[in-house]
Amino acid sequence: MALSRKFALRMAGVDITRITARKESILASKAAKTVLQKDIKDIEKIPPLRPGSEIPASYKYIYPEFLASTDMVRRNTLCEKLVRLDMLKRRTVLSIPEFYPGSIMAVTISDPNAPNKLSRFVGICICRGGNGLNAFIILRNVVDGLGVEIMYNLYNPTVREIQVLRLERRLDDQLFYLRDCAPEHSTVPFDLDVTPHPTGVAVPLNETVLKLNPHPWKTRWELYHFRGITFDPKELPLGRAKQLEKALQPHEWVKFDIMKKYRNQIVLEDQEEMFKDIYQFNNARLEKRRSRR
Amino acid sequence: MISRVQPTFSSLLRSYPSVPFPPALPARTFSTTEGRLLIRHQTRMRVVDNSAIGQQCMAAGKWAKVFHVYNKRRVGTLGDKVMVAIMGQKKRGYIVGVVRRQMVPGVPTVDTNNLVLIDESGAPLGTRINVPIPMMLRSKKGDIAKILSIATRFV
């Protein structure tokens, strides 16, 4: 139940502001572009998280689940530390590769109901979220003409293997709008081969802009400021275009609300503390590999 | 349908299965038709087997309408038995696909609420299910095993 409530609040988008959402997504995308120029193996060449820090800035895009929840009421630093150690323990057994919403992934889990006790699902990652051991992804695929979405907890002990078949980013962090796009945009064959990502190359940004199906939609996508979809405002149902116009007017007070900004982010000093363990873990692995050579 | 009531925590919980709350609208605009995600009295369902009556109703665009769910909660989930009105007839069927997000990781959700029709003895009316159905249904006991035998694909 704890997971579901947290998830609910997160999914409720409590921390998303109005028009700033679009601006922020553009800024975040630009920031990600500058940081994700290099692969994780060239750790020294990536700019630091903050001046004087040894942790690369790309960590907040590659390991977002190591960041704690921004909900101060639920924060507990000791618990977070223990959770992080548990996550690292799990990572010694299971390799969780670098991926982003929009990457094509394959997840294999132990399933007592499957014929050989293993079930594998391939799909586009349409959402990534959750903190700590509750980190989850949602994969989407169209199988036999039916859209199927499955949620997996990354640190669930039943997860056997997580593969990234094609590594890429999309214009948005959440691709739920694929539900109202043509099925070929979310169709992935189950026997797709792995396209390995060359080291030292930036993660490609897939800038395709999709056209939404005609109405009715499952959600009012026009209100979310997604960059990856287009639609004709004239074709919106009665009254919705007017509401959209109203919604697009920016709230001037938002940029002066320092406390709101502070509450919705984790300060860099805390981020540094949260990424320290995984940074040391990665360094130890690199050293091991070097010594083997 | 748009209500003019302030959203409560429970309403947010109800909206959780779909996508985040729209960031760009005033607080009053949350949908009170969110219950369409639940399978209950008056819910329309898609028939996914190749039975004659099922194909006929899907071709006519008149999806099967639920008027009873065989459990204590009266809200159907995967593997539950429902009674439906279909083309002026009364039929029973099993739920083999739901839109609502499942709390259990690894259990699929699909784009439509799917139904497989059965006859009075519990045997399926069709000979084939055209869409993938959840692997989790194989853990259910009882008559549902009969419809799993005509499934073509599990996810």
Side-chain angles (χ1 to χ4, degrees), chain A residues 13-287:
Chain A
V14 177
D15 55 348
I16 304 172
T17 52
R18 281 188 158 213
I19 188 73
T20 48
R22 186 183 168 88
K23 276 187 194 166
E24 273 168 17
S25 86
I26 294 170
L27 282 177
S29 159
K30 275 184 186 168
K33 203 179 175 187
T34 54
V35 166
L36 297 173
Q37 288 293 321
K38 299 281 183 298
D39 196 67
I40 187 65
K41 272 145 204 160
D42 300 327
I43 276 180
E44 294 101 26
K45 291 176 190 168
I46 302 171
L49 191 67
R50 67 185 183 112
S53 159
E54 57 181 0
I55 291 160
S58 56
Y59 267 40
K60 61 179 169 182
Y61 303 105
I62 302 172
Y63 308 106
E65 72 264 21
F66 278 82
L67 287 177
S69 162
T70 50
D71 188 0
M72 287 304 285
V73 180
R74 292 170 194 277
R75 289 285 300 277
N76 180 340
T77 43
L78 175 64
C79 177
E80 282 163 17
K81 175 78 182 170
L82 294 174
V83 163
R84 264 179 264 134
L85 293 180
D86 272 356
M87 287 157 79
L88 290 183
K89 250 185 203 172
R90 184 68 189 147
R91 273 177 182 262
T92 55
V93 189
L94 176 82
S95 81
I96 301 177
E98 175 185 353
F99 67 91
Y100 304 90
S103 303
I104 293 175
M105 301 176 67
V107 177
T108 312
I109 58 168
S110 302
D111 191 344
N113 305 315
N116 48 2
K117 307 291 174 200
L118 282 179
S119 81
R120 181 172 183 267
F121 187 73
V122 180
I124 301 173
C125 174
I126 57 167
C127 175
R128 179 180 193 177
N131 319 105
L133 291 167
N134 292 336
F136 66 88
I137 56 170
I138 299 179
L139 300 189
R140 179 184 168 83
N141 197 349
V142 175
V143 189
D144 296 342
L146 181 72
V148 182
E149 290 173 14
I150 307 187
M151 188 255 276
Y152 293 105
N153 284 350
L154 290 176
Y155 293 88
N156 191 329
T158 58
V159 174
R160 288 288 198 88
E161 193 184 13
I162 301 174
Q163 270 183 312
V164 175
L165 305 184
R166 211 168 67 200
L167 182 70
E168 64 178 26
R169 296 186 294 133
R170 289 289 271 266
L171 289 170
D172 301 299
D173 287 342
Q174 290 179 339
L175 307 176
F176 288 107
Y177 52 69
L178 287 175
R179 290 169 186 169
D180 277 319
C181 294
E184 63 257 27
H185 297 305
S186 40
T187 309
V188 183
F190 268 62
D191 53 353
L192 188 72
D193 290 333
V194 183
T195 318
H197 184 68
T199 54
V201 177
V203 179
L205 177 66
N206 187 348
E207 298 193 49
T208 49
V209 178
L210 305 176
K211 197 169 183 335
L212 288 177
N213 288 342
H215 280 277
W217 297 337
K218 282 167 187 134
T219 310
R220 300 174 64 174
W221 304 117
E222 77 268 20
L223 299 173
Y224 289 87
H225 310 299
F226 285 124
R227 293 201 292 146
I229 50 174
T230 53
F231 58 91
D232 187 4
K234 283 173 195 165
E235 286 174 11
L236 286 175
L238 195 68
R240 282 223 216 156
K242 210 173 176 183
Q243 280 183 337
L244 178 63
E245 224 174 75
K246 205 174 169 187
L248 284 175
Q249 291 166 1
H251 267 180
E252 289 299 326
W253 54 267
V254 170
K255 62 184 173 192
F256 302 112
D257 196 346
I258 306 169
M259 276 313 289
K260 186 169 188 176
K261 201 177 170 190
Y262 176 73
R263 275 192 225 108
N264 290 337
Q265 69 184 20
I266 291 174
V267 289
L268 286 176
E269 288 84 348
D270 285 359
Q271 283 191 22
E272 208 178 335
E273 176 66 30
M274 288 163 190
F275 288 134
K276 219 157 76 185
D277 299 321
I278 179 77
Y279 178 71
Q280 287 166 358
F281 178 81
N282 280 345
N283 269 4
R285 280 201 153 183
L286 272 180
E287 270 173 30

Side-chain angles (χ1 to χ4, degrees), chain B residues 59-80:
Chain B
K62 293 181 178 176
W63 292 20
K65 191 196 269 182
V66 176
F67 63 95
H68 185 67
V69 182
Y70 289 93
N71 62 16
K72 278 191 178 175
R73 246 184 99 215
R74 298 294 178 96
V75 174
T77 51
L78 282 174
D80 278 345

